[in-house]
Amino acid sequence: MEYTLRGDRAAADFSGLFADLVRCETRLYNALGDRLRERHGIVTSQYEFLSYLRDHPGCRVADLAAEFAIGVGATSKGIDRLEKQGWAARRPNPADRRSSLLALTDDGARLVQEAERTFTAGLAELLAGTLDTPSLSAVARALSTLRSALEDDQVGAPSG
């Protein structure tokens, strides 16, 4: 299917593309969440937060919110849940007393390491089982380009 910015057909094509993007994301997110919940007692959003904390030690709630394009309040509540489970901790920020620095606990580090295997295997099965290597590479390049452009222009960033 070819996409152009001319005529009524383009509007229908872009609507279909949008629907495909959103429904694929939702189905992948839910399928991975089911596996993570079954094997590790966490959901996809918790895995993503834990993974980000592992890869960005000392980040702030605002950093997580910016990465995931969600509000600071929702992000803070997500961190509260991880803290309650003993998987993450807030530490005082010596550079800014109004914010905290986030860290994984030892239990959180173990959990994300174990869950990463489930997440990666599940994603590989769902994607590689459907798309051949050239198609998967093309999709990855296209989505990376689109994401970069949207992030560079601050498109869709939460306002609060």
Side-chain angles (χ1 to χ4, degrees):
M1 190 171 295
E2 193 160 320
Y3 294 89
T4 64
L5 295 177
R6 294 183 212 124
D8 293 336
R9 176 115 171 99
D13 292 344
F14 280 107
S15 293
L17 174 62
F18 177 81
D20 286 344
L21 284 169
V22 171
R23 300 319 176 269
C24 286
E25 184 274 340
T26 301
R27 289 178 180 279
L28 289 169
Y29 205 86
N30 291 343
L32 293 168
D34 290 345
R35 291 172 193 216
L36 290 166
R37 186 180 307 104
E38 177 186 301
R39 296 176 189 158
H40 307 285
I42 61 174
V43 294
T44 309
S45 60
Q46 290 173 313
Y47 168 76
E48 288 191 295
F49 275 23
L50 292 168
S51 180
Y52 189 86
L53 293 178
R54 178 198 56 205
D55 297 340
H56 301 87
C59 67
R60 301 166 304 132
V61 166
D63 300 324
L64 272 171
E67 170 65 18
F68 295 106
I70 57 177
V72 171
T75 306
S76 186
K77 287 178 184 175
I79 294 298
D80 289 345
R81 289 184 199 99
L82 296 180
E83 278 189 296
K84 192 173 187 175
Q85 294 295 326
W87 299 328
R90 285 180 166 96
R91 309 267 190 256
N93 184 346
D96 181 359
R97 294 186 329 185
R98 295 171 295 158
S99 71
S100 300
L101 301 179
L102 304 174
L104 282 181
T105 63
D106 290 342
D107 286 345
R110 277 190 293 280
L111 174 60
V112 74
Q113 182 178 5
E114 293 166 5
E116 185 172 44
R117 288 190 286 275
T118 300
F119 181 87
T120 303
L123 193 55
E125 177 186 322
L126 292 165
L127 295 177
T130 304
L131 300 173
D132 61 18
T133 300
S135 297
L136 190 55
S137 295
V139 168
R141 281 192 310 276
L143 290 177
S144 179
T145 299
L146 178 58
R147 178 181 175 180
S148 292
L150 294 170
E151 288 177 352
D152 288 349
D153 294 339
Q154 297 281 310
V155 173
S159 57

